[in-house]
Amino acid sequence: MTFDLKIDEPHPDHRADGLTQSVLGHDNDRPDGWLKVAGSATYAAEEQADDMLHGFLVRAPKVGAVSCPNLEQVRAMHGVRSVLRDRRMIRNAAQGTANEAPVQGVDQAAYVGQPIALVVADSFEQARHAAQALVVSVEEDDVPVLPDAVEPEEPEDKKTEIGDLDRAMSEAAFRIDAVYTTPSMVSAAMEPHAATAHWDGETLTLRGSLQMLKFNRNELADSVGLDPANVRVLAPYVGGGFGSKLGISADCVAAALAAMELGQPVRVVQHRRNVFEVNTRRSETRQHIRLAADAEGRLTGLGHEALVSNLPDEEFSEPVIQGSHFAYAAANRTLGMKIARIHRSAAGSVRAPGESVGVTAFEVAMDELAQAAGVDPVDLRVRNIPEKDPESGKPFSSHRLEAALRQGADAFGWSHRHATPRQQREGEWWIGTGMAAAFRVNMVIEAEARINLTRDGATVMSDMTDIGTGSYAIFGQIAAELLGLPLDRVEVQLGDTRFPPGSGSGGSFGAASTGTAVWLAGMEIRKQIADRLGCSEAELTLQDGMATYANKRASLRDLLSHEPITGHGHVEPGEAAEKVRQATFGAHFAEVAVSDVTGEVRVRRMLGSFAAGRILNPRTARSQCHGGMTWGIGMALTEELTHDRRDGHAVNRDLAGYHLPVNADVPPFEVHFVEELDDWAGPTQAKGIGELGICGAGASILNAVYNACGARVRDMPATPDRVLAALPS
Amino acid sequence: MKTSFTVNGSPFSLDIDPRVTLLDALRDHLNLTGSKKGCDHGRCGACTVLVDGRRINACLSLAVMHDGDEITTVEGLCKDGRSPLQSAFVRHDGMQCGYCTPGQLCSATAVFREIADGWPSHVSETLDGPYALTREELAERMSGNICRCSCYPGINAAILEIAEEDAGHAEAAE
């Protein structure tokens, strides 16, 4: 049997609050933490086999028709087992939820860095050496690589035109009309994309570094030409993803093809420099933002139009304006997207696609409006909170932005701030504070999970992944709470397509989607226990391994002595998505110091205040927020993937040239959760938290830079040269 | 090429390709996959191990350069159960995806010794210690270990907690 749920209606019954095991919502260790500190969690490249072969990907150095004139000589090199130039190899990683093969082929390179061969050898060293010896000749195509070099697509379905923004601008008491830019950025997860493939003549088993296994299995099967039933994908531990591992990656397909050809296990690990090219980047953006406001700073009009890019034949485009559709009330609205088809590496989802860059730029514009109108930046946001979705007129499922803003401001000490820039100085440093609001759409996607309950405890199973997000922790807590078990009697098994298909990790939907499936599976078990005790599920109390109803009391060990119980949960998005606008909200506050000698910006402290429904585990949720806030530091100050103007190649494609925030860049953080239960989010009332922390975080820093020294930087990142150039003379 | 060294107290003799890095020797030849390969060019710190008690990036060093050395990996930080530092990492959620964690732990272990031995850092005010493990010193000394999940707050809290405990024990012993 299965407990199915389509989320059509709100769940105001808050069942979790009536359960008594007291683990859900509590600050518990992540169970996988112990394996991770011991070094015994096994990642994609860490499976051992005596006959393991090693593959090394070879990249196209230019765009155009590819040939390898010395392929036969390389094939004859010591230890080399094969040089694969298979047309089934993929051009770049699949987009999230693609569910089919991405563009394939090795004869035509569409971007610099496209994998065009796999050299397989007995050892990693032999494979790498032979790969470096392979000559790649390219008959160069003259292709556009700059977003301005082409006439962009302007999809009608991404256009919103309400009222008359031009008129609102001309009649406004205060107006902002400016262009903001963000560069290409990358996920740069710590574990490079890697795969180990086994082929037994019928079944392909692949251990990969992947986020969404039910889709990845189909993408892999479609790529290599197998029935998905004969493909098994495993990813029990994933060394970070952030969107770059949503779709099947080039290493997986190449490793599978090599294993199928050679009949031996093959491991392919992308070199870090390939990781920067072969997997999707966050598109650069150019955002034209217009704000029209009345004398009190109330928006009468807003415009948000963005230019992004992608390769031909990629469906994804960075949804820059996603948050602007619902963030603020304004009667006159112009929103739209332009997509330039150019030959930089493929663009795709990177942590909070859309809002991460869209909200960040928009919140800088809002700061400019606050300054122009002489309104406190927090008050300005509060003044412009819409009562309902400003475009569709739908009610919000729950809207806690004002609470996030006010509580965050109090905790940060916002009231002590100087409203005028350049008021506080320490030696060569200007000190200032800034804030921004955070917005992120909330989603649920189809997911399944199973729980087996035996006399020894419960086992939760789903092909869901834990990419560092805390899936192991929160699913264990949900199951333990429902089944009345201590946490150490619940085991969570993830990352294997032999388990029921979960949501996968992406779009912050894991907790609310697969978490709800786990909840439903637990509910089905509760129902069966209640049947055995002769009561209804709601009358049943399960706690510390004991089942109680009225004066009946039995241990689960006794109840389950003969027959274990299985519960299977299945959730699907339903009419809720049509009936209400659902989102998560928050506020960022930052204090910075800016050197007016060097232009260097140091972030001194940050506070994030977030409303994301029920917080299932405050410790893992807080860590996710820390991650988002740190990415905000990177976006505001250091991260930029630079493309060569001639051929579009990624110039700084390693961790030496692409500057991630390191320990010394990250100040003390404070994270505050706003109390919220969103009844429309399903029976757990929980929403996603993994991406909210990045949305707008960078804007709070840029706004603090302005408050500190008067430099308004609209081109990210605010590197020292840009800050110096923007300083008032 | 033949080489012998000890890893986590156990002696190993290998006859390997001279191109094999210490990191790959540990991971692929000795099946000690706790040390991670994040960048393979000395920029992320995930491969940090201790050689004769000092931290190095194992990806930047060839295995055959370590003949006679004593190497400690994350698997050797604690013989039985878990070390106080490992427990503190779990308590403070000093990891998310876990891929940089072994390197962070090895680095932190070495930092304790560097502080005790009076090694200065970029942020030290003088070149002749002694130095206290302040938050600023710690953040500087741990900046060779990148965590993209950004667990720096938890990592720092865990290390500082152990540093304080150790300082407390030292005081009690005096």
Side-chain angles (χ1 to χ4, degrees):
Chain A
M1 231 179 75
T2 297
F3 263 28
D4 290 296
L5 172 69
K6 251 195 173 142
I7 304 182
D8 294 327
E9 299 293 333
H11 285 73
D13 49 348
H14 302 177
R15 284 297 308 278
D17 293 333
L19 301 171
T20 55
Q21 188 62 32
S22 296
V23 288
L24 189 59
H26 286 247
D27 186 86
N28 293 305
D29 293 348
R30 62 178 76 223
D32 45 311
W34 296 109
L35 296 174
K36 288 172 176 173
V37 294
S40 51
T42 310
Y43 297 82
E46 296 174 353
E47 189 185 344
Q48 306 291 326
D50 288 340
D51 56 347
M52 184 78 74
L53 301 174
H54 300 261
F56 202 93
L57 289 167
V58 181
R59 68 191 276 272
K62 293 286 174 191
V63 177
V66 173
S67 61
C68 296
N70 72 340
L71 189 139
E72 289 311 319
Q73 286 101 300
V74 171
R75 204 180 291 250
M77 284 175 71
H78 182 61
V80 172
R81 300 289 297 277
S82 179
V83 181
L84 243 73
R85 293 256 299 132
D86 192 309
R87 287 178 183 175
R88 291 172 290 178
M89 287 171 65
I90 59 176
R91 180 179 77 175
N92 47 260
Q95 299 289 348
T97 73
N99 221 24
E100 59 182 16
V103 177
Q104 294 168 280
V106 289
D107 295 327
Q108 188 69 29
Y111 65 95
V112 175
Q114 180 178 329
I116 52 86
L118 180 79
V119 177
V120 185
D122 291 325
S123 77
F124 169 70
E125 291 74 21
Q126 290 165 339
R128 183 181 54 190
H129 180 58
Q132 285 163 350
L134 189 71
V135 174
V136 183
S137 299
V138 180
E139 248 179 77
E140 265 190 82
D141 289 344
D142 187 18
V143 292
V145 296
L146 299 172
D148 289 327
V150 294
E151 192 63 37
E153 298 166 11
E154 285 189 58
E156 280 302 316
D157 62 352
K158 296 186 196 297
K159 215 171 256 182
T160 301
E161 197 69 67
I162 298 172
D164 185 345
L165 178 60
D166 289 339
R167 190 168 158 192
M169 287 294 282
S170 67
E171 293 173 355
F174 300 103
R175 63 186 68 84
I176 300 297
D177 185 337
V179 172
Y180 305 80
T181 65
T182 61
S184 288
M185 289 176 250
V186 292
S187 293
M190 295 314 296
E191 182 197 19
H193 298 62
T196 309
H198 294 261
W199 171 248
D200 67 5
E202 189 179 357
T203 304
L204 175 67
T205 304
L206 183 119
R207 195 174 274 271
S209 189
L210 297 161
Q211 294 179 223
M212 309 188 79
L213 301 195
K214 71 177 172 193
F215 300 104
N216 303 141
R217 174 162 78 161
N218 293 338
E219 290 153 4
L220 179 60
D222 190 32
S223 297
V224 302
L226 287 173
D227 183 335
N230 294 333
V231 176
R232 179 184 181 195
V233 179
L234 296 115
Y237 299 100
V238 180
F242 314 111
S244 75
K245 296 169 181 172
L246 291 175
I248 200 74
S249 52
D251 47 287
C252 295
V253 175
L257 291 169
M260 290 163 73
E261 177 183 302
L262 298 165
Q264 276 176 244
V266 176
R267 176 200 298 168
V268 178
V269 182
Q270 288 189 24
H271 188 274
R272 175 56 66 181
R273 305 198 86 201
N274 297 121
V275 171
F276 275 79
E277 296 177 323
V278 181
N279 309 290
T280 47
R281 68 186 162 95
R282 192 198 295 286
S283 170
E284 73 291 319
T285 72
R286 194 172 66 215
Q287 306 181 40
H288 181 204
I289 298 177
R290 285 179 285 171
L291 301 175
D294 66 15
E296 281 78 48
R298 285 193 180 79
L299 289 170
T300 53
L302 68 82
H304 196 176
E305 294 156 289
L307 171 69
V308 300
S309 75
N310 210 340
L311 274 173
D313 306 312
E314 291 296 325
E315 275 189 28
F316 177 89
S317 63
E318 179 77 23
V320 178
I321 56 177
Q322 193 161 256
S324 300
H325 286 301
F326 65 90
Y328 295 115
N332 303 287
R333 315 169 71 87
T334 297
L335 296 93
M337 293 295 309
K338 293 181 182 176
I339 303 152
R341 290 290 162 201
I342 56 171
H343 290 259
R344 296 178 172 182
S345 55
S349 295
V350 178
R351 197 173 201 160
E355 288 92 327
S356 54
V357 284
V359 170
T360 297
F362 204 91
E363 288 297 305
V364 175
M366 287 294 281
D367 197 65
E368 297 194 49
L369 178 62
Q371 192 67 27
V375 179
D376 177 84
V378 173
D379 291 338
L380 182 77
R381 270 76 175 183
V382 172
R383 233 167 255 188
N384 284 292
I385 292 175
E387 283 182 14
K388 54 192 182 180
D389 184 283
E391 293 176 12
S392 70
K394 288 176 196 168
F396 285 98
S397 64
S398 172
H399 199 300
R400 298 284 282 152
L401 177 58
E402 182 171 359
L405 287 162
R406 297 286 187 213
Q407 292 171 19
D410 281 351
F412 186 77
W414 182 253
S415 59
H416 304 303
R417 166 181 199 262
H418 301 286
T420 314
R422 297 166 77 89
Q423 299 295 313
Q424 192 182 341
R425 198 161 165 91
E426 294 176 11
E428 70 181 64
W429 299 91
W430 290 110
I431 315 301
T433 54
M435 60 79 54
F439 305 89
R440 176 68 177 155
V441 292
N442 192 65
M443 294 168 274
V444 169
I445 74 165
E446 184 174 12
E448 295 177 49
R450 184 166 65 233
I451 303 178
N452 285 346
L453 182 65
T454 69
R455 24 176 318 146
D456 298 321
T459 308
V460 180
M461 283 161 284
S462 170
D463 83 353
M464 176 65 179
T465 49
D466 186 329
I467 60 173
T469 40
S471 309
Y472 282 108
I474 60 172
F475 299 158
Q477 286 170 279
I478 291 170
E481 189 66 62
L482 283 166
L483 303 178
L485 292 170
L487 282 175
D488 62 7
R489 283 181 62 192
V490 179
E491 188 192 357
V492 181
Q493 298 181 352
L494 301 176
D496 185 341
T497 51
R498 287 194 175 168
F499 299 144
S503 56
S505 301
S508 294
F509 49 59
S513 303
T514 310
T516 297
V518 174
W519 172 277
L520 295 169
M523 272 294 171
E524 190 190 353
I525 291 180
R526 286 178 63 88
K527 171 87 172 49
Q528 293 176 66
I529 294 171
D531 288 347
R532 289 186 190 185
L533 276 189
C535 64
S536 74
E537 181 280 317
E539 293 167 325
L540 176 72
T541 299
L542 294 177
Q543 189 183 328
D544 296 327
M546 298 297 294
T548 313
Y549 158 59
N551 58 357
K552 288 188 192 170
R553 191 168 157 83
S555 78
L556 286 183
R557 281 184 197 279
D558 293 339
L559 278 173
L560 296 161
S561 56
H562 302 297
E563 202 187 338
I565 302 181
T566 295
H568 191 112
H570 176 210
V571 67
E572 287 176 276
E575 290 168 19
E578 306 301 317
K579 291 176 179 169
V580 291
R581 160 65 83 169
Q582 190 170 63
T584 53
F585 300 91
H588 295 280
F589 297 84
E591 179 182 322
V592 303
V594 186
S595 163
D596 69 359
V597 177
T598 64
E600 182 183 4
V601 177
R602 303 297 301 167
V603 184
R604 290 190 160 189
R605 64 186 177 110
M606 282 177 86
L607 181 142
S609 169
F610 303 112
R614 185 188 299 278
I615 299 301
L616 302 171
N617 181 329
R619 195 186 310 176
T620 55
R622 193 179 301 118
S623 290
Q624 287 282 292
C625 297
H626 288 165
M629 291 158 74
T630 304
W631 282 54
I633 297 174
M635 187 186 295
L637 301 179
T638 62
E639 288 186 44
E640 173 169 20
L641 188 69
T642 305
H643 298 278
D644 188 291
R645 294 184 61 81
R646 295 160 300 176
D647 62 8
H649 83 265
V651 176
N652 52 337
R653 56 191 182 97
D654 57 37
L655 297 174
Y658 186 88
H659 294 153
L660 304 174
V662 300
N663 199 316
D665 296 321
V666 177
F669 283 154
E670 206 175 311
V671 170
H672 171 79
F673 292 119
V674 175
E675 209 164 290
E676 180 187 35
L677 297 178
D678 189 332
D679 294 347
W680 286 93
T684 65
Q685 293 88 33
K687 296 188 279 194
I689 190 82
E691 296 172 310
L692 182 60
I694 188 180
C695 303
S700 70
I701 295 165
L702 295 173
N703 296 341
V705 169
Y706 175 77
N707 181 253
C709 67
R712 180 65 76 186
V713 181
R714 300 189 184 91
D715 297 307
M716 284 163 247
T719 44
D721 54 318
R722 285 175 171 160
V723 173
L724 281 181
L727 272 173
S729 48
Chain B
M1 211 170 154
K2 287 191 175 152
T3 188
S4 301
F5 44 69
T6 70
V7 183
N8 303 329
S10 304
F12 289 98
S13 291
L14 291 170
D15 187 0
I16 52 172
D17 189 325
R19 295 172 295 185
V20 176
T21 62
L22 176 60
L23 177 61
D24 287 330
L26 293 168
R27 285 171 61 84
D28 289 343
H29 296 261
L30 303 178
N31 197 15
L32 291 166
T33 55
S35 306
K36 303 303 182 196
K37 187 187 281 195
C39 69
D40 219 10
H41 67 160
R43 291 293 174 174
C44 77
C47 65
T48 306
V49 300
L50 307 179
V51 175
D52 298 331
R54 302 297 187 193
R55 54 181 167 161
I56 66 159
N57 287 325
C59 74
L60 290 185
S61 188
L62 298 171
V64 293
M65 293 158 65
H66 291 282
D67 201 58
D69 284 348
E70 279 182 31
I71 293 150
T72 306
T73 69
V74 68
E75 290 94 340
L77 288 185
C78 191
K79 286 284 172 238
D80 312 293
R82 298 156 191 133
S83 71
L85 183 64
Q86 287 166 313
S87 297
F89 261 63
V90 174
R91 243 183 354 266
H92 291 281
D93 216 29
M95 88 291 293
Q96 292 181 55
C97 83
Y99 202 74
C100 75
T101 314
Q104 304 278 0
L105 286 160
C106 287
S107 242
T109 302
V111 166
F112 291 140
R113 184 167 161 194
E114 289 161 19
I115 288 282
D117 291 352
W119 288 18
S121 82
H122 174 65
V123 298
S124 303
E125 284 184 5
T126 64
L127 289 178
D128 49 350
Y131 306 105
L133 195 55
T134 59
R135 190 190 173 280
E136 193 188 11
E137 279 282 0
L138 177 68
E140 170 60 27
R141 289 166 191 264
M142 291 299 291
S143 281
N145 292 82
I146 296 175
C147 174
R148 184 54 157 168
C149 299
S150 308
C151 303
Y152 304 123
I155 290 167
N156 292 354
I159 298 171
L160 289 172
E161 181 186 298
I162 298 305
E164 277 166 26
E165 274 175 22
D166 288 353
H169 292 156
E171 240 168 62
E174 275 168 15

